[in-house]
Amino acid sequence: DADVTQTPRNRITKTGKRIMLECSQTKGHDRMYWYRQDPGLGLRLIYYSFDVKDINKGEISDGYSVSRQAQAKFSLSLESAIPNQTALYFCATSYRAGDSYNEQFFGPGTRLTVL
Amino acid sequence: AQSVAQPEDQVNVAEGNPLTVKCTYSVSGNPYLFWYVQYPNRGLQFLLKYITGDNLVKGSYGFEAEFNKSQTSFHLKKPSALVSDSALYFCAVRDRNSGNTPLVFGKGTRLSVIA
């Protein structure tokens, strides 16, 4: 979805390096998420944020940190990258409408390789 | 706790035949249920959702899914498969009474439609 952009799209780095993945959205959504995808494991939630002042850990937050710089921006950092963090990373957004729960919109993904 | 299972890693179907991709869920209350599709080198795209009401939900690209509360299932179906339907499909669930928790995704089912 072009309304959710991720940079970079591909990154190769070395063990121990600090890496930041960035996500921007023009959908005006208040909720943003970071997932990683590994073959056979599906999508696993790393962190999520329901507004600028709200940050929550997901299923696999160890080794990661996030920053919600503005409603439209949500960045994911790997303070000291390790090879088992090699994966496809997705940012997603959603919005709340009353008591319902709306679908998430995904960015194109960032393929990260840690050597 | 909420969880979702996709019991088949791979589904193969001939073009023109009906297809079914299975999903079962576990929540303590009533569910919100979603299907997403991921084409190669792309992010996830929303297909359809069940929130309430009619158990048969129609979505994009001719797909539909039937909510079955007694069997805790939400199988994805299409009457006539196309080669272009070949992709990775994810089911996701959220307990209606779980506050602000995000969606939980299954591990995905790879659909191959053979010409």
Side-chain angles (χ1 to χ4, degrees):
Chain A
D1 192 315
D3 297 326
V4 183
T5 56
Q6 294 183 232
T7 55
R9 293 294 311 279
N10 289 282
R11 181 72 184 268
I12 300 174
T13 191
K14 295 182 179 180
T15 297
K17 294 292 187 180
R18 185 179 188 274
I19 297 296
M20 179 179 285
L21 309 183
E22 298 186 347
C23 177
S24 294
Q25 52 112 348
T26 59
K27 300 186 80 67
H29 291 172
D30 53 346
R31 301 176 172 189
M32 298 187 75
Y33 313 80
W34 275 105
Y35 292 89
R36 67 176 278 176
Q37 183 181 18
D38 300 275
L41 297 179
L43 265 71
R44 293 182 292 168
L45 183 64
I46 306 172
Y47 272 95
Y48 62 102
S49 168
F50 281 177
D51 64 43
V52 175
K53 296 181 180 180
D54 176 76
I55 301 290
N56 302 280
K57 292 183 177 180
E59 178 186 356
I60 53 162
S61 59
D62 287 349
Y64 301 95
S65 62
V66 292
S67 174
R68 186 83 184 265
Q69 303 95 320
Q71 186 186 43
K73 295 184 182 296
F74 193 37
S75 59
L76 175 72
S77 294
L78 288 68
E79 297 301 326
S80 180
I82 56 176
N84 77 357
Q85 291 177 313
T86 293
L88 188 54
Y89 289 84
F90 287 105
C91 175
T93 72
S94 70
Y95 67 98
R96 180 167 182 168
D99 293 330
S100 186
Y101 194 90
N102 292 294
E103 61 270 24
Q104 292 172 310
F105 295 83
F106 284 78
T110 294
R111 186 168 297 279
L112 177 66
T113 302
V114 183
L115 301 176
Chain B
Q2 49 196 5
S3 65
V4 61
Q6 294 182 242
E8 301 157 317
D9 293 333
Q10 173 92 31
V11 171
N12 298 318
V13 63
E15 187 175 31
N17 283 0
L19 70 87
T20 298
V21 182
K22 295 180 180 178
C23 172
T24 59
Y25 67 90
S26 175
V27 296
S28 58
N30 292 309
Y32 294 125
L33 291 156
F34 299 79
W35 275 103
Y36 287 82
V37 60
Q38 184 183 26
Y39 298 104
N41 300 313
R42 302 286 296 276
L44 277 71
Q45 296 178 31
F46 168 74
L47 275 179
L48 51 80
K49 66 181 177 183
Y50 171 81
I51 301 297
T52 188
D54 195 344
N55 289 343
L56 184 63
V57 179
K58 294 187 182 295
S60 306
Y61 312 122
F63 284 93
E64 59 187 28
E66 186 166 12
F67 170 61
N68 187 319
K69 187 171 184 178
S70 63
Q71 297 185 3
T72 62
S73 66
F74 190 57
H75 301 330
L76 182 69
K77 299 181 179 183
K78 187 173 183 181
S80 179
L82 301 172
V83 172
S84 58
D85 293 329
S86 298
L88 189 56
Y89 290 81
F90 290 95
C91 183
V93 69
R94 180 179 174 275
D95 190 326
R96 192 184 296 264
N97 298 320
S98 64
N100 282 328
T101 58
L103 294 178
V104 173
F105 285 83
K107 295 184 178 181
T109 297
R110 187 165 300 280
L111 173 67
S112 292
V113 181
I114 304 160

